[in-house]
Amino acid sequence: MKTEVLAAQAPETAQRAAEILLAGGLVAIPTETVYGLGANALDEVAVSKIFAAKGRPQDNPLIIHIAETKELERYCHHIPQAAYCLAERFWPGPLTMVLPCRQIVPAKTTAGLETVAVRCPETEITREIIRLAGVPIAAPSANLSGKPSTTTAEHVLYDLDGKIEAIVDDGPSRVGVESTIVDLTQERPRLLRPGGITPEALRETLGDLVVDPAVLGNLPPNAVVRAPGMKYKHYAPQADVLIVTGNSENAAAYVRRHFQPGNAVLCFEEELSLYEGMNPHSYGSREDEASLTHSLFAVLRELDQKEIGTIFARCPEGGGLAYAVQNRLKKAAGFHIVSGEET
Ligand code: AMP
Ligand code: MG
């Protein structure tokens, strides 16, 4: 199949994308988090094509994307007041809520769960496509399963050219990591995945938030998790990733002791000079966490092009957006972490 590339600015793009979706096709859509691989969320056959194109495990549920908060009631029931408070403050934006699901949403989309994950994305063209199609768009990240997510149309084409009907190109994604997911179906609100909306901001609105153990820990293989997708190794480049913790000097000294030809370093802009001769790649400034989320996946993909053996990675500490970076990098590293103080 020939994949059509539709420019977000072209006047006919939204209409064309909506047509393809209603005909059961796949369209990669731009969002402020990452690019999504979209299908009509209410069409089971179309949704199956997402799993096939990505090689995604069938038990990994999808997020459905809506254009306005008021559409929530069409797909969810028993919506708590907290959901409306979150929507008021953070939608459209990089926040996904898990809520009890109505029957109209097929089991294929929710991986058979009685809940559904819903988000209203910020990107105008994508909300316009949803409005024109009149159906929600189910969309996981538009990458081959397990690989780093895509934050540009070029990256989507690299993974999915010829496997999907179209892609809407709206330039690089602003946030660069997937949405924050909060589960509102439990007694207490629960953070399932950190992202562009920080845990601190959620707590401000909700007054309470439990962090699911899957967020920063390595789950045993038989662990029971809230969403099946939480158990997979994820976001991983071909190279092995090893996170080196500790202060800049100790970490650089550790890498110097262990660096082999064909390795690379993923570090903060401020640390580039410490890694001279060690193939350093910056993914942003330590002082500007938004720069780190924005570029993380793009730099991992760039390193993937170069057949690197091991990537020594530096990871920001603490909460805020750094929390989302830790979650993605730890999963990309398969939880391989060493302290810079070790020999
Ligand atoms: P992505 O892999 O970026 O498409 O995001 C989808 C993720 O959202 C899944 O892997 C789950 O972790 C989460 N998710 C989707 N639907 C649900 C749900 N009904 N309950 C809990 N988590 C969900
Ligand atoms: Mg994904």
Side-chain angles (χ1 to χ4, degrees):
M1 144 186 354
K2 171 114 181 68
T3 300
E4 285 177 52
V5 179
L6 307 167
Q9 302 73 20
E12 66 281 8
T13 286
Q15 190 58 49
R16 175 77 191 124
E19 256 168 45
I20 297 172
L21 290 167
L22 285 177
L26 298 182
V27 180
I29 49 166
T31 84
E32 76 279 22
T33 60
V34 300
Y35 274 70
L37 178 53
N40 174 356
L42 306 183
D43 175 346
E44 208 148 14
V45 177
V47 169
S48 308
K49 294 181 191 166
I50 294 180
F51 288 88
K54 285 191 60 143
R56 184 177 173 99
Q58 299 286 338
D59 64 352
N60 195 355
L62 303 176
I63 294 171
I64 70 169
H65 296 76
I66 59 176
E68 328 280 342
T69 302
K70 63 175 192 285
E71 292 166 25
L72 258 185
E73 282 117 43
R74 274 190 227 159
Y75 312 112
C76 305
H77 61 90
H78 288 89
I79 303 170
Q81 193 50 38
Y84 293 103
C85 296
L86 289 175
E88 173 71 25
R89 176 158 174 208
F90 299 113
W91 277 2
L95 178 69
T96 296
M97 299 187 223
V98 174
L99 292 163
C101 184
R102 287 193 191 279
Q103 287 215 322
I104 184 177
V105 185
K108 194 96 226 157
T109 302
T110 63
L113 299 172
E114 285 174 357
T115 55
V116 62
V118 189
R119 179 163 101 85
C120 178
E122 171 184 294
T123 308
E124 270 305 327
I125 179 84
T126 292
R127 274 186 295 132
E128 185 58 18
I129 296 168
I130 299 167
R131 272 186 217 108
L132 290 171
V135 294
I137 300 182
S141 50
N143 51 274
L144 294 176
S145 192
K147 291 281 139 201
S149 300
T150 49
T151 53
T152 66
E154 291 72 31
H155 294 161
V156 178
L157 282 173
Y158 186 84
D159 278 17
L160 297 169
D161 196 7
K163 292 181 163 186
I164 61 178
E165 274 76 8
I167 165 162
V168 177
D169 183 356
D170 192 31
S173 298
R174 178 178 69 79
V175 179
V177 295
E178 304 81 352
S179 58
T180 300
I181 304 180
V182 62
D183 183 354
L184 297 175
T185 65
Q186 308 288 296
E187 223 162 280
R188 298 174 63 190
R190 177 177 282 254
L191 181 71
L192 299 184
R193 177 172 77 186
I197 303 299
T198 64
E200 294 82 355
L202 288 177
R203 275 202 185 96
E204 257 175 47
T205 302
L206 294 168
D208 184 29
L209 185 71
V210 195
V211 176
D212 194 279
V215 168
L216 293 181
N218 194 3
L219 290 171
N222 54 356
V224 177
V225 292
R226 281 290 305 147
M230 296 169 81
K231 67 185 177 227
Y232 300 110
K233 180 178 173 185
H234 240 89
Y235 319 119
Q238 273 147 41
D240 293 327
V241 178
L242 178 66
I243 296 176
V244 186
T245 64
N247 69 36
S248 297
E249 286 67 33
N250 286 344
Y254 177 94
V255 175
R256 208 171 303 120
R257 288 195 296 280
H258 294 270
F259 190 89
Q260 306 275 327
N263 291 171
V265 177
L266 177 71
C267 65
F268 311 119
E269 198 175 286
E270 292 86 348
E271 296 181 337
L272 277 171
S273 61
L274 295 173
Y275 293 102
E276 247 170 66
M278 290 181 268
N279 196 8
H281 288 65
S282 151
Y283 67 115
S285 165
R286 183 180 226 156
E287 302 303 316
D288 174 10
E289 287 164 355
S291 71
L292 299 173
T293 60
H294 178 78
S295 302
L296 175 65
F297 287 133
V299 179
L300 284 177
R301 280 184 168 263
E302 189 186 325
L303 286 165
D304 243 0
Q305 302 291 308
K306 301 183 178 169
E307 300 199 2
I308 306 290
T310 295
I311 300 170
F312 295 97
R314 296 283 291 151
C315 184
E317 278 160 23
L321 287 176
Y323 205 54
V325 176
Q326 287 155 33
N327 170 263
R328 304 311 190 275
L329 258 183
K330 286 183 178 179
K331 290 195 175 199
F335 296 88
H336 293 142
I337 301 167
V338 293
S339 155
E341 267 111 70
E342 280 174 36
T343 47

